[in-house]
mmCIF file of all heavy atoms in Angstrom:
data_model
loop_
_atom_site.group_PDB
_atom_site.id
_atom_site.type_symbol
_atom_site.label_atom_id
_atom_site.label_comp_id
_atom_site.label_asym_id
_atom_site.label_seq_id
_atom_site.Cartn_x
_atom_site.Cartn_y
_atom_site.Cartn_z
ATOM 1 N N ASP A 12 77.681 47.412 46.217
ATOM 2 C CA ASP A 12 77.489 46.904 47.498
ATOM 3 C C ASP A 12 76.660 45.662 47.530
ATOM 4 O O ASP A 12 76.202 45.180 48.569
ATOM 5 C CB ASP A 12 76.958 47.860 48.448
ATOM 6 C CG ASP A 12 75.605 48.417 47.945
ATOM 7 O OD1 ASP A 12 75.203 48.135 46.939
ATOM 8 O OD2 ASP A 12 74.943 49.257 48.742
ATOM 9 N N GLN A 13 76.491 44.943 46.457
ATOM 10 C CA GLN A 13 75.691 43.808 46.188
ATOM 11 C C GLN A 13 76.400 42.642 47.182
ATOM 12 O O GLN A 13 77.624 42.502 47.176
ATOM 13 C CB GLN A 13 75.471 43.289 44.933
ATOM 14 C CG GLN A 13 74.753 41.892 44.712
ATOM 15 C CD GLN A 13 74.867 41.337 43.249
ATOM 16 O OE1 GLN A 13 75.035 42.134 42.324
ATOM 17 N NE2 GLN A 13 74.655 40.122 43.233
ATOM 18 N N MET A 14 75.479 41.891 47.892
ATOM 19 C CA MET A 14 76.069 40.651 48.659
ATOM 20 C C MET A 14 76.535 39.616 47.537
ATOM 21 O O MET A 14 75.740 39.313 46.504
ATOM 22 C CB MET A 14 75.053 40.092 49.574
ATOM 23 C CG MET A 14 74.666 41.031 50.506
ATOM 24 S SD MET A 14 76.053 41.376 51.819
ATOM 25 C CE MET A 14 75.958 39.659 52.636
ATOM 26 N N LEU A 15 77.611 38.925 47.712
ATOM 27 C CA LEU A 15 78.045 37.884 46.727
ATOM 28 C C LEU A 15 77.104 36.769 46.922
ATOM 29 O O LEU A 15 76.848 36.249 48.050
ATOM 30 C CB LEU A 15 79.500 37.527 47.144
ATOM 31 C CG LEU A 15 80.570 38.573 46.840
ATOM 32 C CD1 LEU A 15 82.032 37.921 47.250
ATOM 33 C CD2 LEU A 15 80.537 39.079 45.407
ATOM 34 N N PRO A 16 76.680 36.166 45.860
ATOM 35 C CA PRO A 16 75.680 35.054 45.919
ATOM 36 C C PRO A 16 76.326 33.734 46.371
ATOM 37 O O PRO A 16 75.679 32.823 46.709
ATOM 38 C CB PRO A 16 75.138 34.958 44.546
ATOM 39 C CG PRO A 16 76.176 35.526 43.572
ATOM 40 C CD PRO A 16 76.846 36.570 44.431
ATOM 41 N N LEU A 17 77.625 33.622 46.234
ATOM 42 C CA LEU A 17 78.374 32.449 46.598
ATOM 43 C C LEU A 17 79.849 32.670 46.726
ATOM 44 O O LEU A 17 80.292 33.828 46.375
ATOM 45 C CB LEU A 17 78.168 31.317 45.542
ATOM 46 C CG LEU A 17 78.917 31.369 44.191
ATOM 47 C CD1 LEU A 17 78.754 30.029 43.466
ATOM 48 C CD2 LEU A 17 78.264 32.497 43.293
ATOM 49 N N ALA A 18 80.555 31.801 47.349
ATOM 50 C CA ALA A 18 81.933 32.086 47.618
ATOM 51 C C ALA A 18 82.767 32.019 46.288
ATOM 52 O O ALA A 18 82.457 31.396 45.370
ATOM 53 C CB ALA A 18 82.582 30.841 48.473
ATOM 54 N N THR A 19 83.877 32.875 46.174
ATOM 55 C CA THR A 19 84.639 32.969 45.012
ATOM 56 C C THR A 19 85.978 32.461 45.455
ATOM 57 O O THR A 19 86.461 32.481 46.525
ATOM 58 C CB THR A 19 84.618 34.343 44.373
ATOM 59 O OG1 THR A 19 85.349 35.271 45.410
ATOM 60 C CG2 THR A 19 83.331 35.008 44.173
ATOM 61 N N LYS A 20 86.848 31.933 44.390
ATOM 62 C CA LYS A 20 88.191 31.622 44.663
ATOM 63 C C LYS A 20 89.171 32.406 43.665
ATOM 64 O O LYS A 20 88.757 32.687 42.611
ATOM 65 C CB LYS A 20 88.397 30.075 44.397
ATOM 66 C CG LYS A 20 87.706 29.260 45.515
ATOM 67 C CD LYS A 20 88.060 27.798 45.303
ATOM 68 C CE LYS A 20 87.553 26.977 46.413
ATOM 69 N NZ LYS A 20 87.946 25.534 46.259
ATOM 70 N N GLU A 21 90.371 32.682 44.206
ATOM 71 C CA GLU A 21 91.344 33.293 43.390
ATOM 72 C C GLU A 21 92.637 32.688 43.745
ATOM 73 O O GLU A 21 93.057 32.644 44.926
ATOM 74 C CB GLU A 21 91.365 34.903 43.716
ATOM 75 C CG GLU A 21 92.399 35.594 43.021
ATOM 76 C CD GLU A 21 92.443 37.035 43.317
ATOM 77 O OE1 GLU A 21 91.760 37.405 44.294
ATOM 78 O OE2 GLU A 21 93.046 37.842 42.528
ATOM 79 N N ARG A 22 93.337 32.214 42.803
ATOM 80 C CA ARG A 22 94.646 31.506 42.961
ATOM 81 C C ARG A 22 95.771 32.557 42.837
ATOM 82 O O ARG A 22 95.727 33.512 42.070
ATOM 83 C CB ARG A 22 94.922 30.496 41.938
ATOM 84 C CG ARG A 22 96.247 29.758 42.182
ATOM 85 C CD ARG A 22 96.310 28.606 41.119
ATOM 86 N NE ARG A 22 97.645 27.947 41.330
ATOM 87 C CZ ARG A 22 97.826 26.981 42.294
ATOM 88 N NH1 ARG A 22 96.851 26.519 42.943
ATOM 89 N NH2 ARG A 22 99.129 26.320 42.416
ATOM 90 N N ILE A 23 96.624 32.593 43.874
ATOM 91 C CA ILE A 23 97.787 33.486 43.920
ATOM 92 C C ILE A 23 98.982 32.709 43.525
ATOM 93 O O ILE A 23 99.363 31.722 43.941
ATOM 94 C CB ILE A 23 98.027 33.944 45.362
ATOM 95 C CG1 ILE A 23 96.805 34.681 45.924
ATOM 96 C CG2 ILE A 23 99.209 34.836 45.470
ATOM 97 C CD1 ILE A 23 96.777 34.934 47.394
ATOM 98 N N ASP A 24 99.642 33.309 42.464
ATOM 99 C CA ASP A 24 100.812 32.815 41.767
ATOM 100 C C ASP A 24 102.032 33.715 42.049
ATOM 101 O O ASP A 24 101.985 34.821 41.672
ATOM 102 C CB ASP A 24 100.684 32.655 40.251
ATOM 103 C CG ASP A 24 99.613 31.562 39.930
ATOM 104 O OD1 ASP A 24 99.603 30.460 40.463
ATOM 105 O OD2 ASP A 24 98.748 31.801 39.075
ATOM 106 N N PHE A 25 103.056 33.010 42.745
ATOM 107 C CA PHE A 25 104.356 33.706 42.807
ATOM 108 C C PHE A 25 105.484 32.575 43.071
ATOM 109 O O PHE A 25 105.038 31.588 43.489
ATOM 110 C CB PHE A 25 104.382 34.701 43.998
ATOM 111 C CG PHE A 25 104.100 34.111 45.404
ATOM 112 C CD1 PHE A 25 105.160 33.825 46.128
ATOM 113 C CD2 PHE A 25 102.835 33.827 45.771
ATOM 114 C CE1 PHE A 25 104.965 33.251 47.376
ATOM 115 C CE2 PHE A 25 102.695 33.312 47.016
ATOM 116 C CZ PHE A 25 103.744 33.060 47.944
ATOM 117 N N LEU A 26 106.624 32.912 42.769
ATOM 118 C CA LEU A 26 107.621 31.946 42.928
ATOM 119 C C LEU A 26 108.752 32.380 43.899
ATOM 120 O O LEU A 26 109.725 33.177 43.513
ATOM 121 C CB LEU A 26 108.256 31.668 41.512
ATOM 122 C CG LEU A 26 109.341 30.577 41.524
ATOM 123 C CD1 LEU A 26 108.640 29.221 41.803
ATOM 124 C CD2 LEU A 26 109.926 30.497 39.971
ATOM 125 N N PRO A 27 108.628 32.051 45.151
ATOM 126 C CA PRO A 27 109.709 32.492 46.167
ATOM 127 C C PRO A 27 110.884 31.516 46.017
ATOM 128 O O PRO A 27 110.795 30.419 45.457
ATOM 129 C CB PRO A 27 109.086 32.333 47.438
ATOM 130 C CG PRO A 27 108.050 31.101 47.271
ATOM 131 C CD PRO A 27 107.626 31.289 45.812
ATOM 132 N N HIS A 28 112.037 31.934 46.446
ATOM 133 C CA HIS A 28 113.151 31.001 46.599
ATOM 134 C C HIS A 28 112.746 29.911 47.605
ATOM 135 O O HIS A 28 112.134 30.105 48.613
ATOM 136 C CB HIS A 28 114.416 31.798 47.116
ATOM 137 C CG HIS A 28 115.706 31.003 47.021
ATOM 138 N ND1 HIS A 28 115.983 30.040 47.968
ATOM 139 C CD2 HIS A 28 116.649 30.928 46.115
ATOM 140 C CE1 HIS A 28 117.111 29.406 47.557
ATOM 141 N NE2 HIS A 28 117.574 29.964 46.487
ATOM 142 N N TYR A 29 113.117 28.700 47.278
ATOM 143 C CA TYR A 29 112.716 27.581 48.179
ATOM 144 C C TYR A 29 113.154 27.707 49.596
ATOM 145 O O TYR A 29 112.483 27.316 50.529
ATOM 146 C CB TYR A 29 113.055 26.200 47.522
ATOM 147 C CG TYR A 29 114.614 25.951 47.441
ATOM 148 C CD1 TYR A 29 115.330 25.451 48.434
ATOM 149 C CD2 TYR A 29 115.260 26.355 46.271
ATOM 150 C CE1 TYR A 29 116.708 25.387 48.359
ATOM 151 C CE2 TYR A 29 116.632 26.236 46.215
ATOM 152 C CZ TYR A 29 117.322 25.654 47.156
ATOM 153 O OH TYR A 29 118.689 25.516 47.129
ATOM 154 N N ASP A 30 114.362 28.398 49.733
ATOM 155 C CA ASP A 30 114.789 28.498 51.174
ATOM 156 C C ASP A 30 113.859 29.348 51.921
ATOM 157 O O ASP A 30 113.809 29.053 53.248
ATOM 158 C CB ASP A 30 116.169 29.166 51.118
ATOM 159 C CG ASP A 30 117.266 28.203 50.889
ATOM 160 O OD1 ASP A 30 117.007 26.950 50.885
ATOM 161 O OD2 ASP A 30 118.449 28.611 50.631
ATOM 162 N N THR A 31 113.110 30.282 51.420
ATOM 163 C CA THR A 31 112.158 31.173 52.253
ATOM 164 C C THR A 31 111.129 30.216 52.784
ATOM 165 O O THR A 31 110.538 30.718 53.827
ATOM 166 C CB THR A 31 111.610 32.269 51.334
ATOM 167 O OG1 THR A 31 110.918 31.754 50.366
ATOM 168 C CG2 THR A 31 112.669 33.131 50.836
ATOM 169 N N LEU A 32 110.856 29.078 52.267
ATOM 170 C CA LEU A 32 109.794 28.324 52.807
ATOM 171 C C LEU A 32 110.338 27.196 53.641
ATOM 172 O O LEU A 32 110.038 26.877 54.649
ATOM 173 C CB LEU A 32 108.770 27.801 51.773
ATOM 174 C CG LEU A 32 107.686 26.936 52.207
ATOM 175 C CD1 LEU A 32 106.764 27.643 53.123
ATOM 176 C CD2 LEU A 32 106.885 26.160 51.165
ATOM 177 N N VAL A 33 111.375 26.485 52.899
ATOM 178 C CA VAL A 33 111.849 25.202 53.554
ATOM 179 C C VAL A 33 112.571 25.607 54.817
ATOM 180 O O VAL A 33 112.406 24.834 55.855
ATOM 181 C CB VAL A 33 112.808 24.591 52.599
ATOM 182 C CG1 VAL A 33 113.460 23.404 53.220
ATOM 183 C CG2 VAL A 33 112.046 24.088 51.297
ATOM 184 N N LYS A 34 113.338 26.638 54.848
ATOM 185 C CA LYS A 34 114.101 27.009 56.128
ATOM 186 C C LYS A 34 113.186 27.777 56.941
ATOM 187 O O LYS A 34 113.307 27.662 58.250
ATOM 188 C CB LYS A 34 115.329 27.862 55.806
ATOM 189 C CG LYS A 34 116.364 26.929 55.006
ATOM 190 C CD LYS A 34 117.646 27.674 54.787
ATOM 191 C CE LYS A 34 118.649 26.756 54.090
ATOM 192 N NZ LYS A 34 119.918 27.416 53.804
ATOM 193 N N SER A 35 112.264 28.652 56.410
ATOM 194 C CA SER A 35 111.239 29.237 57.157
ATOM 195 C C SER A 35 111.660 29.913 58.560
ATOM 196 O O SER A 35 111.065 29.679 59.569
ATOM 197 C CB SER A 35 110.003 28.206 57.498
ATOM 198 O OG SER A 35 109.632 27.667 56.332
ATOM 199 N N GLY A 36 112.728 30.698 58.473
ATOM 200 C CA GLY A 36 113.099 31.350 59.643
ATOM 201 C C GLY A 36 113.873 30.421 60.667
ATOM 202 O O GLY A 36 114.050 30.796 61.810
ATOM 203 N N MET A 37 114.337 29.141 60.202
ATOM 204 C CA MET A 37 114.842 28.229 61.095
ATOM 205 C C MET A 37 116.116 28.805 61.664
ATOM 206 O O MET A 37 116.479 28.722 62.859
ATOM 207 C CB MET A 37 115.157 26.948 60.380
ATOM 208 C CG MET A 37 113.956 26.144 60.025
ATOM 209 S SD MET A 37 113.046 25.505 61.510
ATOM 210 C CE MET A 37 111.803 24.481 60.760
ATOM 211 N N TYR A 38 116.939 29.421 60.802
ATOM 212 C CA TYR A 38 118.182 29.998 61.377
ATOM 213 C C TYR A 38 117.993 30.962 62.448
ATOM 214 O O TYR A 38 118.650 30.861 63.507
ATOM 215 C CB TYR A 38 118.998 30.728 60.274
ATOM 216 C CG TYR A 38 120.191 31.416 60.701
ATOM 217 C CD1 TYR A 38 121.510 30.663 61.028
ATOM 218 C CD2 TYR A 38 120.217 32.798 61.042
ATOM 219 C CE1 TYR A 38 122.566 31.350 61.523
ATOM 220 C CE2 TYR A 38 121.346 33.471 61.479
ATOM 221 C CZ TYR A 38 122.557 32.721 61.733
ATOM 222 O OH TYR A 38 123.586 33.359 62.340
ATOM 223 N N GLU A 39 117.035 31.835 62.229
ATOM 224 C CA GLU A 39 116.777 32.873 63.398
ATOM 225 C C GLU A 39 116.328 32.242 64.656
ATOM 226 O O GLU A 39 116.726 32.498 65.805
ATOM 227 C CB GLU A 39 115.739 33.853 62.869
ATOM 228 C CG GLU A 39 116.234 34.919 61.807
ATOM 229 C CD GLU A 39 116.122 34.198 60.404
ATOM 230 O OE1 GLU A 39 115.770 33.122 60.303
ATOM 231 O OE2 GLU A 39 116.165 34.964 59.463
ATOM 232 N N TYR A 40 115.369 31.278 64.523
ATOM 233 C CA TYR A 40 114.793 30.618 65.660
ATOM 234 C C TYR A 40 115.899 29.665 66.284
ATOM 235 O O TYR A 40 115.954 29.647 67.617
ATOM 236 C CB TYR A 40 113.602 29.826 65.257
ATOM 237 C CG TYR A 40 112.472 30.642 65.030
ATOM 238 C CD1 TYR A 40 111.753 30.716 63.735
ATOM 239 C CD2 TYR A 40 111.875 31.563 65.939
ATOM 240 C CE1 TYR A 40 110.763 31.529 63.422
ATOM 241 C CE2 TYR A 40 110.852 32.410 65.700
ATOM 242 C CZ TYR A 40 110.299 32.385 64.367
ATOM 243 O OH TYR A 40 109.248 33.275 64.087
ATOM 244 N N TYR A 41 116.546 28.809 65.639
ATOM 245 C CA TYR A 41 117.601 27.987 66.274
ATOM 246 C C TYR A 41 118.820 28.789 66.766
ATOM 247 O O TYR A 41 119.645 28.182 67.548
ATOM 248 C CB TYR A 41 117.945 26.861 65.326
ATOM 249 C CG TYR A 41 116.886 25.784 65.225
ATOM 250 C CD1 TYR A 41 116.386 25.415 63.950
ATOM 251 C CD2 TYR A 41 116.213 25.296 66.285
ATOM 252 C CE1 TYR A 41 115.395 24.417 63.799
ATOM 253 C CE2 TYR A 41 115.156 24.346 66.245
ATOM 254 C CZ TYR A 41 114.820 23.915 64.898
ATOM 255 O OH TYR A 41 113.745 23.026 64.813
#
């Protein structure tokens, strides 16, 4: 339960299909 002495960073790596970001629900919304 020690308090963290400073902020930490963690990089998240994953590879989605580009359509899931570029289109980003556009079909559903439009």
